[in-house]
């Protein structure tokens, strides 16, 4: 409803980087925060779209937490390209430590086309706000992030039916999830 839209918009206004060149959007309050799933939860404490799932990487005993922002990532891509291969024993079962597991993931153990190693909570949070899924290894203070952002459902273009209205239009036309994604992308 209207209150949901306003709370999302208010959240985005407080988290969006300013138009002036300046520091990283998650610094300084989060600049020196250690990289853990709990600290990422705290960073996104005002965001109702944060999703997380605790997993056992490759069923090898290495605990990880997959985290993403619902609405700006493709749920299907998270499931098929990140979560599914992350839990396959044949892909990651040989890894015994978080570091070995992260290296195996970066060498192709997970299907996602783009992966980055992260060692700071601020960089990981920044990736997540741009449509990346983070796989956090708490004990090691590292994360691997994967680009799984949603595609544009509808582009911004001049209307085809109402010829008297000119200019680009941003409007809410589908579901709240797509609308939230549109607001995030525009801010």
């Amino acid at each position: 409803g209207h209150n949901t839209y306003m709370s999302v918009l208010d959240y985005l206004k407080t988290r969006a980087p300013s138009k002036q060149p300046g520091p990283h959007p998650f610094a300084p309050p989060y600049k020196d925060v250690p990289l853990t799933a709990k600290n990422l939860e705290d960073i996104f404490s005002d965001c109702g779209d944060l999703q997380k799932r605790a997993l056992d990487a490759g069923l090898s005993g290495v605990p990880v937490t997959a985290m993403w922002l619902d609405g700006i990532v493709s749920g299907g891509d998270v499931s098929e390209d990140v979560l599914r291969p992350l839990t396959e024993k044949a892909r990651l079962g040989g890894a015994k430590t978080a570091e070995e597991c992260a290296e195996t993931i970066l060498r192709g153990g997970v299907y996602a086309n783009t992966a980055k190693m992260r060692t700071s909570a601020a960089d990981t949070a920044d990736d997540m706000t741009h449509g990346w899924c983070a796989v956090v290894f708490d004990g090691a203070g590292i994360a691997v992030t994967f680009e799984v952002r949603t595609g544009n459902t509808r582009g911004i273009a001049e209307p085809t039916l109402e010829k008297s209205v000119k200019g680009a239009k941003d409007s809410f036309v589908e579901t709240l999830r797509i609308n939230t994604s549109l607001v995030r992308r525009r801010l």
Side-chain angles (χ1 to χ4, degrees):
H2 179 70
N3 291 338
T4 302
Y5 169 71
M6 289 306 292
S7 66
V8 169
L9 188 57
D10 291 341
Y11 167 76
L12 292 172
K13 283 181 183 175
T14 62
R15 298 292 191 199
S18 68
K19 301 244 186 237
Q20 301 295 325
H24 191 285
F26 290 100
Y30 305 115
K31 181 181 176 201
D32 298 322
V33 172
L35 178 54
T36 65
K38 172 69 172 109
N39 288 343
L40 286 171
E41 280 185 74
D42 291 344
I43 289 171
F44 291 104
S45 63
D46 295 335
C47 180
D49 292 334
L50 179 67
Q51 301 293 315
K52 67 176 186 164
R53 185 162 174 199
L55 300 165
D56 182 0
L59 305 175
S60 64
V62 178
V64 298
T65 304
M67 304 177 85
W68 62 93
L69 295 177
D70 194 27
I72 60 172
V73 300
S74 167
D77 287 349
V78 170
S79 296
E80 290 298 318
D81 296 346
V82 178
L83 299 181
R84 185 176 186 190
L86 191 62
T87 57
E88 289 179 2
K89 187 172 181 119
R91 291 186 158 275
L92 302 174
K96 299 297 180 208
T97 67
E99 291 82 2
E100 287 176 359
C101 190
E103 186 173 324
T104 303
I105 288 170
L106 289 171
R107 285 187 290 133
V110 172
Y111 303 141
N113 65 334
T114 306
K116 292 182 184 176
M117 175 72 78
R118 294 298 191 191
T119 57
S120 82
D123 289 340
T124 305
D126 189 50
D127 283 354
M128 290 172 63
T129 61
H130 288 93
W132 293 58
C133 173
V135 175
V136 182
F137 298 88
D138 270 334
I142 58 174
V144 180
T145 58
F146 304 95
E147 183 179 12
V148 286
R149 69 181 79 180
T150 59
N152 287 332
T153 302
R154 182 174 299 201
I156 300 168
E158 293 214 14
T160 56
L161 299 175
E162 296 127 10
K163 295 291 184 185
S164 62
V165 180
K166 298 290 182 189
K169 306 294 180 256
D170 290 341
S171 61
F172 298 103
V173 293
E174 283 92 8
T175 65
L176 179 61
R177 180 173 292 167
I178 292 170
N179 296 340
T180 305
S181 180
L182 175 65
V183 170
R184 283 193 175 120
R185 288 176 196 274
R186 298 304 287 175
L187 293 177

